[in-house]
Amino acid sequence: MSIGQQAATPPHSRKRSGAGIQDASPARNFTAGFFAKLAIMAVINAFGLYGLYASWAVGAWGVFTGLAIAVIVANWVYFSRRAIPGKYLYPGLLFLFTYQLFTMVYTGYVAFTNYGDGHNSTKADAISSILSYNEKRVEGTAGYPITVLEDADGNIAFGIVDDGQSKVGANDTALENIDAPNDGARITDIDGYTILDFAQIAANQDEVVNLRVPISDDPNDGSLRTTDATNAYVYRSVLEYDESRDVMTNVETGVEYTPSDRGNFVSADGEELSPGWRVFVGGENFTKMFTDSRLSGPFFQILVWTFVFAFLSVATTFALGLALALVFNDPRVRGRKFYRSLLILPYAFPGFLSALVWRGMLNERFGFINEVILQGSSVPWLTDPWLAKFSIIMVNLWLGFPYMFLICTGTLQSIPSDVLESARVDGASPWRVLRSIILPLLMVSTAPLLISSFAFNFNNFALIYMLTGGGPNFTGSPLLIGSTDILISMVYSVAFESGVKQYGLASAVSILIFIFVGIISWLGFRKTKQLEEI
Amino acid sequence: MQRGIPATAAALGMALVLASCSGGSDNNDNEPTASESTGVAGSMTIWVDETRINDFESVIQKFADERGVDVQVVQKASGDIRTEFVQQVPTGEGPDVIIGAHDWLGEFVSNGVVAPVELGDKAAGFAEAATKAFAYEGTNYGVPYAIESIALVRNDELATETPATFDELIEQGKELDAKYPVLLQQGAEGDAYHMYPLQTSFGAPVFTSEDDGSYTTELGMGGEAGHNFAEYLKKLGGEGILDSNIGGDQAKEAFIKGESPYIITGPWYANEFAAEGMTISVHEVPSAGGEPAQPFVGVQGAYISAKANNPVLAQDFVVNYLSTEEAADEIHAAGGRVPALTASADKMTDELAKSFGEVAAAGAPMPSIPEMGSVWAYWGATQVAIFTGQEKDPVAAWDRMLENINSEIAGG
């Protein structure tokens, strides 16, 4: 790939006889703009090539391919004369692919696997972990201080001192006596080998830790291995893996373990080896929500509350925001600017922080609300199921009304005043004006925002998590979910907080939630089209 | 000009995002190692969270200077470090060494992300309970450096004698006219860890034990002992001793203000009390149910990643360096925790640390089996529901909790 080449040789601008043609693009004339572009593209290509090199080095082929395509397309777009729209669209498209589509596709992929605790990685990783966990020290054998050696061909070997006798062995050659001086613990000098120092060992770490030196010609005696390159111990593998048959065998009992379609090595009588690996499980995660009785029981209850919460959040914030906007839109109110800026304040605090502050203020015993405002009464704001629901709606109202106030103020100011005046001349009451003129006009521009607000609150994980943590918990439920949990926080507690992490299940339910929100939004937007036909 | 910047950012972002998300990259390829040209013997990465980083900064520096290796310390948030380690190790982006608590072991082993370690003769230098804590099914996976447990901390300006039972202790607190007879932090989600000494004093350990002290996967909280404890919780809740509005921070503040003669807490707060200039002493928690009140003993230690890029350096640091007296002294001086190395623990001069060490010696090791993960949340939530009176029938609630935990263990 000669990406740099293209940049270095700009397309020849054909000499045109007709002078004064002013349509020459920077790509064809050596203007300052062209050189600026050249410099920027050079930087992008440099990053691209570095990324390609790095991903190639670790063998991440998906990243490599994606990056290669991105870089090639970038060069084509910015150096070709034909891709004018592309010059504007390409960065946005790239972001879309990277940050949106890729995560969606990845979530979709995880949803069909059993990724989670116990199935955390690939089969190769699982095999190497199982093998290393099942190398047991041979009982009654001593540990030996070792010397790490390298022979003339660059192969690593171990030297030990056993009862004053120096011995050397390598991967397939058992320990044998050798005539070399030692200090009682380690060999000090040896012909035909170099003794490696710490830095040289550090450069050959994998070879050193993977070396197994048989103690004798009988493999059942075990082999020497080291983990820290200073001491070695005698180990015997309890399990051996036969790659050609894809079978784990326990050398002591002879039991064979074969891979199951659930991503574990399983013996004939059902004993599983841990860890397992990630496998495709099809649509199991999607149906689990409805077939697992522990999930399906509270699911309906939580679904209803999620809708109620999202709807009430939008309704209350919109009602309050609109009311305030109407009041402060009236020219008879003095100091409107001051009040308006004051009303934006809750919007200026980060929601995370506000929710935590409210959690403290609503504490039954020490909270500001009970202690100071209610003079030491103990209202269980966050610990009673109904009051907790009420508190959540109220805090969300506090967080959300400034936004509604802003958009309503903006829309009110765009309603032509002559329409309102003619209504007043015709003798319409203010209530009638609001209902028949202001609201319909207002809804045209705010309805899409209300739908997006609904979708946002449907998944308002941060508020629930920070304010109540989903509690108070349902008593007697088999899962740790509570009366203020919404769908997304229920998924969170099922997938992450109940002890065993289940990323596959979490991804699947996230997709289900996405479909819910998508359908609601789609229906909503179809409705708003009708509004516009006023 | 402006056209290029988003594209650069996108290319960068793309590289970063894809690299961080790509699973299954293979680390067995011959990667170019930067260490060969930098004049150091090698390099490795250590993850540690904010609660343990103070213990380790100086000792890691010493190791790096002594061995001539380059060590990168990455501080992670304590809430995320476990999960991140489990997720990152398979991608090859994980550290070589992670510093953490022994009860993470089950999760790490069931996901195959830690490597076995062999202490050999060095094991004899540690308190036996500490090395045992890092063993799972007969294999060791970590090296301990500190032991800690909670204990009863007394404000000596308010009380000088501590009675033998928990009920008498409450009586004493009431007679002293303190705002709180005793502080036992709970919070809205409950806190089974701080409650555990009371639970064990009823003879209801979380899991039953084998003869050699290792935990089985069978819950030991059931039966009459568990029911008695559940009833006792309700009683304490009714008396206002236990309160879900009192979390760690509230308990600490109240004790510093002198609103209670007693608090059940660990060295992390006790050291703060001492720094405030309070006269405090550390005692065993009095028994509530007749048997010894054993707190959980947590052991801090170092694990090695199963896919460490520098396995020899990591093992050298964890096995050979952390097991030296010099390193243990250094860690103790920096963080004040009770060393797991007996030679260092015997040299301690700090009275508080000594007393905490004595209480921990009589404690029960926190289970590190993977099944423990299924216990925590149900356990705390049920205790809160009982003492706040949400659950009218403590025994039924307790039994339902056991049922839920068992079904979670059986297959989630």
Side-chain angles (χ1 to χ4, degrees):
Chain A
M1 274 183 304
S2 54
I3 291 168
Q5 298 287 312
Q6 303 172 357
T9 53
H12 292 293
S13 42
R14 293 189 300 277
K15 291 241 177 0
R16 298 186 186 188
S17 48
I21 295 174
Q22 293 300 314
D23 71 337
S25 77
R28 302 159 61 206
N29 266 353
F30 295 115
T31 58
F34 171 74
F35 283 109
K37 181 166 89 172
L38 201 60
I40 291 165
M41 287 309 294
V43 171
I44 292 172
N45 283 321
F47 273 119
L49 283 174
Y50 172 73
L52 287 171
Y53 168 73
S55 54
W56 182 70
V58 297
W61 302 118
V63 181
F64 183 83
T65 325
L67 206 56
I69 293 170
V71 171
I72 292 167
V73 173
N75 282 288
W76 178 77
V77 164
Y78 289 104
F79 287 112
S80 115
R81 276 183 287 145
R82 288 206 299 272
I84 299 289
K87 289 184 167 65
Y88 294 91
L89 289 175
Y90 186 66
L93 283 176
L94 200 60
F95 275 114
L96 182 75
F97 270 97
T98 312
Y99 291 110
Q100 294 264 321
L101 290 179
F102 175 76
T103 36
M104 283 186 199
V105 169
Y106 192 74
T107 307
Y109 155 75
V110 171
F112 289 97
T113 66
N114 62 353
Y115 181 26
D117 267 346
H119 299 273
N120 195 43
S121 188
T122 60
K123 188 173 175 182
D125 281 352
I127 291 170
S128 82
S129 285
I130 290 172
L131 290 176
S132 86
Y133 292 173
N134 284 286
E135 281 193 339
K136 304 285 183 200
R137 270 189 73 179
V138 179
E139 294 210 3
T141 54
Y144 301 94
I146 55 164
T147 326
V148 181
L149 309 166
E150 191 175 38
D151 68 10
D153 304 334
N155 297 318
I156 302 284
F158 288 161
I160 63 162
V161 178
D162 190 10
D163 279 346
Q165 170 65 51
S166 306
K167 295 182 174 184
V168 169
N171 233 346
D172 300 317
T173 50
L175 283 176
E176 51 197 17
N177 294 350
I178 192 162
D179 194 19
N182 62 61
D183 59 6
R186 285 192 168 85
I187 295 174
T188 49
D189 183 29
I190 183 165
D191 288 338
Y193 292 97
T194 29
I195 297 177
L196 297 188
D197 63 13
F198 190 69
Q200 288 165 311
I201 291 170
N204 294 300
Q205 293 182 61
D206 284 335
E207 284 174 77
V208 173
V209 294
N210 290 327
L211 187 59
R212 302 283 183 274
V213 178
I215 287 280
S216 68
D217 295 333
D218 179 5
N220 289 333
D221 287 349
S223 56
L224 275 182
R225 64 175 282 217
T226 185
T227 51
D228 56 6
T230 46
N231 290 301
Y233 302 93
V234 184
Y235 291 90
R236 207 169 24 217
S237 292
V238 179
L239 287 172
E240 279 180 354
Y241 178 63
D242 180 352
E243 207 163 336
S244 58
R245 291 170 51 226
D246 196 15
V247 167
M248 284 264 180
T249 314
N250 185 323
V251 291
E252 288 169 2
T253 60
V255 176
E256 292 197 340
Y257 300 85
T258 50
S260 70
D261 54 6
R262 309 281 317 159
N264 279 92
F265 279 105
V266 184
S267 70
D269 54 13
E271 190 200 349
E272 284 186 351
L273 295 177
S274 170
W277 60 93
R278 246 191 274 189
V279 289
F280 276 92
V281 291
E284 189 181 295
N285 290 318
F286 290 91
T287 53
K288 196 171 179 183
M289 208 70 202
F290 309 103
T291 54
D292 184 337
S293 61
R294 302 190 320 159
L295 292 171
S296 60
F299 177 76
F300 184 71
Q301 209 172 343
I302 283 176
L303 184 69
V304 170
W305 160 241
T306 308
F307 276 106
V308 170
F309 162 73
F311 175 78
L312 281 180
S313 293
V314 175
T316 52
T317 52
F318 184 64
L320 184 60
L322 176 62
L324 290 168
L326 285 168
V327 170
F328 290 112
N329 206 35
D330 196 307
R332 288 169 301 178
V333 177
R334 285 186 173 180
R336 285 187 294 163
K337 278 210 173 96
F338 170 73
Y339 287 122
R340 276 180 184 164
S341 7
L342 212 57
L343 285 175
I344 309 300
L345 271 185
Y347 198 41
F349 290 106
F352 273 81
L353 197 70
S354 304
L356 278 174
V357 170
W358 276 103
R359 180 181 201 150
M361 293 207 298
L362 291 167
N363 183 303
E364 192 180 332
R365 194 156 162 180
F366 305 99
F368 184 81
I369 307 269
N370 281 348
E371 281 282 276
V372 180
I373 297 181
L374 301 178
Q375 290 301 319
S377 64
S378 60
V379 182
W381 291 111
L382 298 177
T383 45
D384 174 84
W386 288 103
L387 270 177
K389 286 185 161 106
F390 175 77
S391 302
I392 287 224
I393 301 279
M394 282 297 127
V395 171
N396 213 12
L397 172 62
W398 187 85
L399 286 170
F401 83 86
Y403 170 72
M404 296 296 182
F405 168 74
L406 278 177
I407 60 174
C408 290
T409 301
T411 322
L412 286 176
Q413 286 173 344
S414 67
I415 294 177
S417 55
D418 52 353
V419 179
L420 300 176
E421 261 180 48
S422 56
R424 265 199 293 276
V425 169
D426 287 346
S429 67
W431 183 242
R432 181 68 203 247
V433 172
L434 175 67
R435 232 182 40 207
S436 306
I437 297 176
I438 296 182
L439 270 185
L441 287 170
L442 187 95
M443 284 315 259
V444 173
S445 51
T446 53
L449 295 169
L450 295 186
I451 294 165
S452 69
S453 172
F454 182 90
F456 170 79
N457 278 307
F458 200 91
N459 277 335
N460 197 342
F461 175 77
L463 174 75
I464 305 284
Y465 184 75
M466 294 287 165
L467 192 62
T468 62
N473 284 339
F474 289 132
T475 52
S477 154
L479 287 170
L480 289 162
I481 40 191
S483 38
T484 54
D485 264 320
I486 54 176
L487 278 178
I488 191 79
S489 64
M490 171 188 176
V491 174
Y492 180 82
S493 80
V494 168
F496 301 99
E497 289 189 323
S498 56
V500 181
K501 295 185 185 63
Q502 307 177 59
Y503 300 121
L505 179 69
S507 302
V509 184
S510 310
I511 290 172
L512 290 179
I513 293 175
F514 167 76
I515 291 169
F516 268 128
V517 175
I519 290 172
I520 294 160
S521 305
W522 179 70
L523 288 173
F525 282 121
R526 260 188 29 183
K527 273 262 182 269
T528 56
K529 276 220 173 66
Q530 294 168 4
L531 282 176
E532 285 167 23
E533 289 158 11
I534 293 168
Chain B
M1 192 79 198
Q2 289 192 336
R3 216 177 296 157
I5 292 167
T8 317
L12 251 184
M14 180 128 182
L16 290 173
V17 170
L18 291 177
S20 63
C21 292
S22 73
S25 60
D26 199 8
N27 263 24
N28 297 339
D29 296 355
N30 290 329
E31 285 185 56
T33 47
S35 58
E36 286 167 34
S37 55
T38 51
V40 290
S43 68
M44 68 170 183
T45 312
I46 296 181
W47 279 9
V48 54
D49 66 14
E50 74 276 5
T51 63
R52 302 177 178 88
I53 196 159
N54 291 341
D55 300 357
F56 269 87
E57 271 176 326
S58 57
V59 88
I60 288 172
Q61 194 52 53
K62 269 194 164 169
F63 171 79
D65 295 344
E66 212 166 287
R67 298 284 206 275
V69 294
D70 181 17
V71 183
Q72 286 169 335
V73 183
V74 180
Q75 185 179 333
K76 294 275 174 186
S78 58
D80 306 330
I81 187 166
R82 277 169 85 163
T83 314
E84 235 173 282
F85 182 75
V86 171
Q87 287 174 358
Q88 297 284 323
V89 167
T91 68
E93 300 291 319
D96 295 299
V97 173
I98 181 173
I99 310 291
H102 80 275
D103 56 305
W104 303 357
L105 179 61
E107 188 184 344
F108 286 173
V109 172
S110 69
N111 286 309
V113 292
V114 282
V117 299
E118 182 54 67
L119 276 165
D121 305 340
K122 301 187 187 73
F126 292 99
E128 195 187 352
T131 45
K132 248 190 194 155
F134 280 94
Y136 182 67
E137 293 181 347
T139 308
N140 256 324
Y141 293 94
V143 173
Y145 75 86
I147 301 175
E148 64 190 16
S149 76
I150 51 174
L152 183 77
V153 176
R154 183 176 74 199
N155 184 337
D156 290 343
E157 286 158 19
L158 297 179
T160 49
E161 289 288 319
T162 298
T165 72
F166 201 73
D167 289 337
E168 288 169 5
L169 178 130
I170 292 169
E171 282 305 311
Q172 184 195 16
K174 284 179 179 164
E175 281 163 24
L176 287 169
D177 219 19
K179 188 172 176 186
Y180 306 102
V182 56
L183 287 161
L184 179 48
Q185 67 178 70
Q186 285 298 305
E189 303 292 318
D191 192 332
Y193 175 80
H194 281 83
M195 196 77 91
Y196 199 62
L198 296 189
Q199 185 174 326
T200 45
S201 75
F202 281 89
V206 57
F207 287 109
T208 54
S209 303
E210 302 275 14
D211 296 339
D212 66 351
S214 64
Y215 286 101
T216 66
T217 57
E218 192 189 332
L219 293 174
M221 303 190 267
E224 201 182 337
H227 295 167
N228 291 343
F229 172 63
E231 297 278 7
Y232 189 72
L233 279 180
K234 189 178 180 181
K235 173 176 159 271
L236 287 186
E239 292 175 16
I241 304 293
L242 294 174
D243 185 341
S244 65
N245 293 303
I246 300 181
D249 290 341
Q250 285 89 353
K252 182 177 86 178
E253 289 302 316
F255 191 75
I256 288 176
K257 281 187 200 158
E259 290 174 347
S260 172
Y262 296 107
I263 181 171
I264 294 180
T265 189
W268 45 92
Y269 283 170
N271 292 337
E272 283 187 50
F273 302 147
E276 291 271 343
M278 300 174 73
T279 351
I280 53 171
S281 54
V282 176
H283 308 270
E284 285 190 5
V285 179
S287 170
E291 298 195 25
Q294 291 185 299
F296 270 138
V297 179
V299 184
Q300 310 290 336
Y303 296 97
I304 296 167
S305 158
K307 293 185 80 168
N309 292 329
N310 305 286
V312 173
L313 296 186
Q315 293 269 2
D316 185 50
F317 172 68
V318 171
V319 177
N320 298 334
Y321 194 70
L322 289 186
S323 58
T324 61
E325 207 172 315
E326 177 198 4
D329 291 347
E330 183 77 33
I331 293 173
H332 174 64
R337 297 179 196 243
V338 181
L341 199 74
T342 39
S344 288
D346 294 341
K347 286 192 301 195
M348 276 193 301
T349 51
D350 178 5
E351 278 305 319
L352 274 187
K354 263 191 191 166
S355 330
F356 269 114
E358 282 159 22
V359 174
M366 194 189 293
S368 60
I369 49 180
E371 287 77 8
M372 191 64 198
S374 308
V375 175
W376 282 117
Y378 290 103
W379 202 14
T382 306
Q383 292 181 350
V384 170
I386 290 174
F387 71 69
T388 55
Q390 269 184 311
E391 289 275 15
K392 300 286 175 275
D393 182 355
V395 170
W398 195 255
D399 283 342
R400 204 167 40 232
M401 171 191 85
L402 299 177
E403 205 179 307
N404 288 336
I405 295 174
N406 275 327
S407 68
E408 182 82 33
I409 288 173

